[in-house]
PDB file of all heavy atoms in Angstrom:
ATOM      1  N   GLN A 192      -2.402 -26.198 -20.283  1.00  0.00           N
ATOM      2  CA  GLN A 192      -1.690 -27.356 -20.651  1.00  0.00           C
ATOM      3  C   GLN A 192      -2.540 -28.169 -21.629  1.00  0.00           C
ATOM      4  O   GLN A 192      -3.743 -28.333 -21.493  1.00  0.00           O
ATOM      5  CB  GLN A 192      -1.389 -28.258 -19.430  1.00  0.00           C
ATOM      6  CG  GLN A 192      -0.635 -27.541 -18.311  1.00  0.00           C
ATOM      7  CD  GLN A 192       0.772 -27.315 -18.692  1.00  0.00           C
ATOM      8  OE1 GLN A 192       1.463 -28.138 -19.260  1.00  0.00           O
ATOM      9  NE2 GLN A 192       1.177 -26.129 -18.393  1.00  0.00           N
ATOM     10  N   HIS A 193      -1.871 -28.685 -22.723  1.00  0.00           N
ATOM     11  CA  HIS A 193      -2.546 -29.533 -23.684  1.00  0.00           C
ATOM     12  C   HIS A 193      -1.502 -30.533 -24.216  1.00  0.00           C
ATOM     13  O   HIS A 193      -0.554 -30.104 -24.815  1.00  0.00           O
ATOM     14  CB  HIS A 193      -3.207 -28.710 -24.756  1.00  0.00           C
ATOM     15  CG  HIS A 193      -3.950 -29.492 -25.864  1.00  0.00           C
ATOM     16  ND1 HIS A 193      -5.142 -30.012 -25.564  1.00  0.00           N
ATOM     17  CD2 HIS A 193      -3.575 -29.824 -27.036  1.00  0.00           C
ATOM     18  CE1 HIS A 193      -5.571 -30.674 -26.675  1.00  0.00           C
ATOM     19  NE2 HIS A 193      -4.588 -30.618 -27.590  1.00  0.00           N
ATOM     20  N   ASN A 194      -1.821 -31.817 -24.125  1.00  0.00           N
ATOM     21  CA  ASN A 194      -0.927 -32.867 -24.654  1.00  0.00           C
ATOM     22  C   ASN A 194       0.523 -32.616 -24.242  1.00  0.00           C
ATOM     23  O   ASN A 194       1.426 -32.780 -25.130  1.00  0.00           O
ATOM     24  CB  ASN A 194      -1.053 -32.994 -26.108  1.00  0.00           C
ATOM     25  CG  ASN A 194      -2.383 -33.599 -26.567  1.00  0.00           C
ATOM     26  OD1 ASN A 194      -3.062 -34.189 -25.779  1.00  0.00           O
ATOM     27  ND2 ASN A 194      -2.717 -33.456 -27.864  1.00  0.00           N
ATOM     28  N   GLY A 195       0.796 -32.314 -23.011  1.00  0.00           N
ATOM     29  CA  GLY A 195       2.136 -32.162 -22.524  1.00  0.00           C
ATOM     30  C   GLY A 195       2.784 -30.854 -22.827  1.00  0.00           C
ATOM     31  O   GLY A 195       3.874 -30.621 -22.438  1.00  0.00           O
ATOM     32  N   GLY A 196       2.136 -29.918 -23.561  1.00  0.00           N
ATOM     33  CA  GLY A 196       2.653 -28.645 -23.857  1.00  0.00           C
ATOM     34  C   GLY A 196       1.962 -27.512 -23.137  1.00  0.00           C
ATOM     35  O   GLY A 196       0.809 -27.669 -22.616  1.00  0.00           O
ATOM     36  N   THR A 197       2.606 -26.433 -22.977  1.00  0.00           N
ATOM     37  CA  THR A 197       2.048 -25.164 -22.335  1.00  0.00           C
ATOM     38  C   THR A 197       1.779 -24.171 -23.418  1.00  0.00           C
ATOM     39  O   THR A 197       2.703 -23.908 -24.246  1.00  0.00           O
ATOM     40  CB  THR A 197       2.970 -24.640 -21.306  1.00  0.00           C
ATOM     41  OG1 THR A 197       3.242 -25.631 -20.255  1.00  0.00           O
ATOM     42  CG2 THR A 197       2.365 -23.414 -20.579  1.00  0.00           C
ATOM     43  N   TYR A 198       0.507 -23.666 -23.473  1.00  0.00           N
ATOM     44  CA  TYR A 198       0.145 -22.728 -24.497  1.00  0.00           C
ATOM     45  C   TYR A 198      -0.390 -21.446 -23.812  1.00  0.00           C
ATOM     46  O   TYR A 198      -1.021 -21.456 -22.762  1.00  0.00           O
ATOM     47  CB  TYR A 198      -0.944 -23.337 -25.388  1.00  0.00           C
ATOM     48  CG  TYR A 198      -0.446 -24.539 -26.065  1.00  0.00           C
ATOM     49  CD1 TYR A 198      -0.483 -25.798 -25.515  1.00  0.00           C
ATOM     50  CD2 TYR A 198       0.082 -24.425 -27.373  1.00  0.00           C
ATOM     51  CE1 TYR A 198      -0.016 -26.920 -26.223  1.00  0.00           C
ATOM     52  CE2 TYR A 198       0.536 -25.556 -28.042  1.00  0.00           C
ATOM     53  CZ  TYR A 198       0.448 -26.833 -27.439  1.00  0.00           C
ATOM     54  OH  TYR A 198       0.968 -27.884 -28.086  1.00  0.00           O
ATOM     55  N   LYS A 199      -0.166 -20.305 -24.469  1.00  0.00           N
ATOM     56  CA  LYS A 199      -0.677 -19.018 -24.025  1.00  0.00           C
ATOM     57  C   LYS A 199      -1.727 -18.504 -25.030  1.00  0.00           C
ATOM     58  O   LYS A 199      -1.460 -18.433 -26.222  1.00  0.00           O
ATOM     59  CB  LYS A 199       0.513 -18.043 -23.901  1.00  0.00           C
ATOM     60  CG  LYS A 199       0.116 -16.653 -23.505  1.00  0.00           C
ATOM     61  CD  LYS A 199       1.357 -15.740 -23.418  1.00  0.00           C
ATOM     62  CE  LYS A 199       1.015 -14.348 -23.170  1.00  0.00           C
ATOM     63  NZ  LYS A 199       2.267 -13.523 -23.147  1.00  0.00           N
ATOM     64  N   ILE A 200      -2.858 -18.073 -24.525  1.00  0.00           N
ATOM     65  CA  ILE A 200      -3.963 -17.554 -25.406  1.00  0.00           C
ATOM     66  C   ILE A 200      -3.556 -16.171 -25.816  1.00  0.00           C
ATOM     67  O   ILE A 200      -3.261 -15.283 -24.976  1.00  0.00           O
ATOM     68  CB  ILE A 200      -5.254 -17.583 -24.611  1.00  0.00           C
ATOM     69  CG1 ILE A 200      -5.679 -18.956 -24.257  1.00  0.00           C
ATOM     70  CG2 ILE A 200      -6.384 -16.926 -25.474  1.00  0.00           C
ATOM     71  CD1 ILE A 200      -6.794 -19.038 -23.181  1.00  0.00           C
ATOM     72  N   VAL A 201      -3.527 -15.906 -27.071  1.00  0.00           N
ATOM     73  CA  VAL A 201      -3.083 -14.612 -27.599  1.00  0.00           C
ATOM     74  C   VAL A 201      -4.148 -13.848 -28.424  1.00  0.00           C
ATOM     75  O   VAL A 201      -3.955 -12.717 -28.885  1.00  0.00           O
ATOM     76  CB  VAL A 201      -1.779 -14.629 -28.409  1.00  0.00           C
ATOM     77  CG1 VAL A 201      -0.636 -15.121 -27.493  1.00  0.00           C
ATOM     78  CG2 VAL A 201      -1.868 -15.519 -29.596  1.00  0.00           C
TER      79      VAL A 201
END
Side-chain angles (χ1 to χ4, degrees):
Q192 303 291 315
H193 180 76
N194 287 345
T197 300
Y198 298 86
K199 178 179 171 182
I200 301 168
V201 296

